[in-house]
Amino acid sequence: MALAMSFDRIVVVDWSAHSTPKVGTDSIWLAIDDRGSVVVENPATRAGASHRLTGIVDAAVDSTTLVGVDFSLGYPSGTARALGCAGRPWHALWTLLADSIRDDERNRNNRFEFAAACNASIGDGAGPFWGCPPSRQVEHCLTATKPDRSAGHPPEWRHVESVLRSGGRRPFSSWQLLGAGAVGSQSLLGIPVLERLRRRFPQRVDIWPFTTGLRLPPSRAGQVVVAEIWPTIVSGTGTTAAVRDARQVADVATWLRGLDRRGELRGLFEPNVAATRRSVVIDEEGWVLGVSEKNTPGERTERG
């Protein structure tokens, strides 16, 4: 007997921080699974991808949607305090990013300037953000290579990344903005898109685990749950797209749909997290769907 699915629609997003429009390899890819039928799309710009996501949410008033995004949704504990942000740490940081990041219709953005300003406000010396083209370095603030960490900086790793590292995996830090596999720039440019989505649909969009706790909230019409994912968390489910990034998002969507059909998807939203760390995970750092302090994914070594 088939089980009722938690989500009518599953959207998997592989984000990009390119500063010009781009399609193909290392660009933005969306896999949209509508009750088992998967379509893959490749918007050339973040503005186009944002418009597409807004349209998906706007049209889903009578259905439920899971949106998995491939960038960090939170920062290591103490980041909001170090930046002088008041309120719930995750939301204070999301508000800061949404109000500060500029990202136009052609992907031109101010992420390196923003990171340098954050570094300057946190303390003397470069960091914690690092990684930029040599021409974008800011003396004593933002460096192309990893600087020595200051005692006043927030931690390098979130708890979820420490869990992965303890298992021999190699996650990237939210502070690294440039380099193969780096995710920092994607977070700076992706979180404002999600915050605008939350503001536009305040009664419908949940951000796991910040607004839900470490659980899946009760299903309701029009519900959208956004969660952090890693596209290469699965080794492959048989999709055959020519571009690796397209295969990855399709594979993850197919994997999540399979779990949902078997009634196993809900368990991903309830990971094992140390009791002493649960509050900081929920209030500031976030978590990665499919990772647990026990039985962490064996295939994942780095972000795609």
Side-chain angles (χ1 to χ4, degrees):
M1 179 178 177
L3 298 173
M5 291 184 288
S6 299
F7 295 100
D8 300 304
R9 187 173 298 100
I10 295 174
V11 182
V12 176
V13 182
D14 187 359
W15 206 239
S16 169
H18 273 285
S19 295
T20 57
K22 191 178 190 302
V23 296
T25 302
D26 296 326
S27 63
I28 298 172
W29 289 89
L30 310 179
I32 304 167
D33 179 302
D34 197 344
R35 293 182 174 272
S37 176
V38 180
V39 175
V40 176
E41 301 178 6
N42 186 204
T45 64
R46 285 179 295 276
S50 176
H51 179 75
R52 182 67 174 110
L53 288 172
T54 300
I56 289 171
V57 175
D58 194 33
V61 292
D62 296 319
S63 57
T64 55
T65 305
L66 169 63
V67 179
V69 297
D70 178 35
F71 51 83
S72 303
L73 297 184
Y75 286 86
S77 175
T79 299
R81 182 175 63 253
L83 289 171
C85 298
R88 282 194 72 189
W90 79 269
H91 189 240
L93 287 170
W94 279 42
T95 299
L96 176 65
L97 287 171
D99 293 345
S100 303
I101 291 291
R102 298 190 303 275
D103 192 12
D104 72 13
E105 297 286 332
R106 302 294 293 172
N107 278 353
R108 292 170 295 196
N109 63 84
N110 68 333
R111 71 186 189 273
F112 296 123
E113 292 83 355
F114 173 80
C118 288
N119 287 354
S121 71
I122 287 175
D124 295 332
F129 283 111
W130 66 275
C132 65
S135 62
R136 306 297 292 275
Q137 293 187 107
V138 178
E139 189 175 5
H140 305 307
C141 287
L142 184 65
T143 57
T145 57
K146 186 177 181 179
D148 293 333
R149 293 190 60 78
S150 165
H153 288 172
E156 183 172 5
W157 307 104
R158 297 182 297 163
H159 183 53
V160 67
E161 292 150 356
S162 296
V163 169
L164 289 168
R165 284 165 58 83
S166 70
R169 285 79 177 181
R170 296 184 293 111
F172 284 84
S173 170
S174 302
W175 305 120
Q176 184 179 347
L177 303 179
L178 198 65
V183 70
S185 285
Q186 286 88 330
S187 295
L188 290 182
L189 298 172
I191 286 174
V193 171
L194 298 179
E195 176 60 14
R196 288 193 291 272
L197 201 64
R198 263 182 24 91
R199 293 175 182 180
R200 180 162 179 168
F201 304 100
Q203 304 303 316
R204 293 178 50 205
V205 175
D206 276 311
I207 310 297
W208 179 83
F210 299 138
T211 66
T212 66
L214 288 165
R215 62 184 181 276
L216 185 63
S219 180
R220 63 187 188 277
Q223 177 188 53
V224 178
V225 178
V226 178
E228 183 179 339
I229 54 94
W230 282 358
T232 52
I233 200 170
V234 295
S235 58
T237 58
T239 56
T240 58
V243 177
R244 173 178 175 265
D245 306 311
R247 292 196 301 273
Q248 286 180 341
V249 292
D251 283 344
V252 174
T254 300
W255 174 66
L256 291 171
R257 177 60 74 199
L259 292 174
D260 204 15
R261 283 174 167 157
R262 297 191 299 273
E264 299 171 4
L265 181 58
R266 180 174 295 273
L268 298 191
F269 290 86
E270 302 172 353
N272 293 319
V273 176
T276 56
R277 301 296 300 183
R278 291 178 71 88
S279 62
V280 75
V281 164
I282 294 170
D283 288 336
E284 183 163 14
E285 292 191 341
W287 201 256
V288 177
L289 198 65
V291 176
S292 189
E293 294 217 41
K294 298 177 181 178
N295 303 318
T296 54
E299 296 295 328
R300 184 59 179 157
T301 58
E302 59 185 38
R303 284 187 186 271

